[in-house]
């Protein structure tokens, strides 16, 4: 349990051992596993899926933070010697908003199809970045992170290029420029 870990860290810190508890929220990046929503949306956009499948009603909300900011925030938190800190942006993004952003960045407008019977996880998960902002401010916006991920998946030499397993019978549109 996360709370138990934080309580144990408090005890260790009280004994003089420096320890920082990090609470990263919805981290994402170019090489994320395809079972996570962010990567699944990137793959669906590159496959030009229409309709574009969104699990649940699309109103579930996450606080997306790029992996580069998670790493940099972690190093800054250790340097700042904080006890417990959320690594987040504090910006709520619904899955509908994410789907629309990803599709707009890939330059197509599909119909969104909501899979109401699919698992959706927690309804609302957004952190408070107040403490983190005293020593680190995230640099990669969600828009930039989406553009980077689309470009990385399209790169011909990238090992992150969509495979037949992730996009059966589909190929990315060669006309998408990445900008």
């Amino acid at each position: 349990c996360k709370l138990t870990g934080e309580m144990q860290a408090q005890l260790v810190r009280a004994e003089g051992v420096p320890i920082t508890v990090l609470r990263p929220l919805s981290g994402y990046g170019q090489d994320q596993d395809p079972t996570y929503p962010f990567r699944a949306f990137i793959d669906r956009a590159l496959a030009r899926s229409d309709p574009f499948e969104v699990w649940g009603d699309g109103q579930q909300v996450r606080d997306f933070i790029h992996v580069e900011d998670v790493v940099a925030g972690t190093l800054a938190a250790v340097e700042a010697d904080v006890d417990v800190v959320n690594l987040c942006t504090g910006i709520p993004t619904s899955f509908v908003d994410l789907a629309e952003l990803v599709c707009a960045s890939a330059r197509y407008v599909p119909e969104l199809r909501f899979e109401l019977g699919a698992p959706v996880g927690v309804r609302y998960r957004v952190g408070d970045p107040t403490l983190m902002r005293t020593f680190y401010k995230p640099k990669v916006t969600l828009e930039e992170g989406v553009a980077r991920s689309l470009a990385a998946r399209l790169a011909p030499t990238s090992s992150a290029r969509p495979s037949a397993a992730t996009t059966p019978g589909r190929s990315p549109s060669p006309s998408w420029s990445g900008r």
Side-chain angles (χ1 to χ4, degrees), residues 4-22 74 76-85 131 135:
T4 301
E6 288 184 20
M7 292 170 73
Q8 289 174 333
Q10 216 173 26
L11 294 171
V12 170
R13 187 175 259 277
E15 293 299 317
V17 178
I19 190 164
T20 299
V21 176
L22 304 165
T74 296
V78 170
E79 184 68 28
D81 193 32
V82 297
D83 293 349
V84 179
V85 65
L131 176 59
F135 58 85

Side-chain angles (χ1 to χ4, degrees), residues 7-98:
M7 292 170 73
Q8 289 174 333
Q10 216 173 26
L11 294 171
V12 170
R13 187 175 259 277
E15 293 299 317
V17 178
I19 190 164
T20 299
V21 176
L22 304 165
R23 295 180 187 148
L25 271 77
S26 296
Y28 72 94
Q30 292 90 293
D31 293 328
Q32 188 169 33
D33 188 280
T35 60
Y36 286 88
F38 179 86
R39 166 68 185 278
F41 282 19
I42 294 294
D43 288 349
R44 287 178 196 142
L46 291 174
R48 306 301 241 206
S49 295
D50 194 357
F52 189 100
E53 183 179 284
V54 177
W55 287 12
D57 64 5
Q59 296 308 306
Q60 54 274 41
V61 172
R62 299 294 181 270
D63 183 337
F64 291 100
I65 183 167
H66 195 272
V67 66
E68 287 180 15
D69 286 317
V70 171
V71 172
T74 296
L75 296 173
V78 170
E79 184 68 28
D81 193 32
V82 297
D83 293 349
V84 179
V85 65
N86 295 328
L87 299 178
C88 60
T89 64
I91 301 169
T93 303
S94 74
F95 280 26
V96 167
D97 291 339
L98 179 62

Side-chain angles (χ1 to χ4, degrees), residues 155-179:
T157 59
S158 172
S159 62
R161 187 178 178 97
S163 68
T166 58
T167 53
R170 304 291 199 111
S171 62
S173 171
S175 63
W176 186 74
S177 70
R179 292 237 158 213

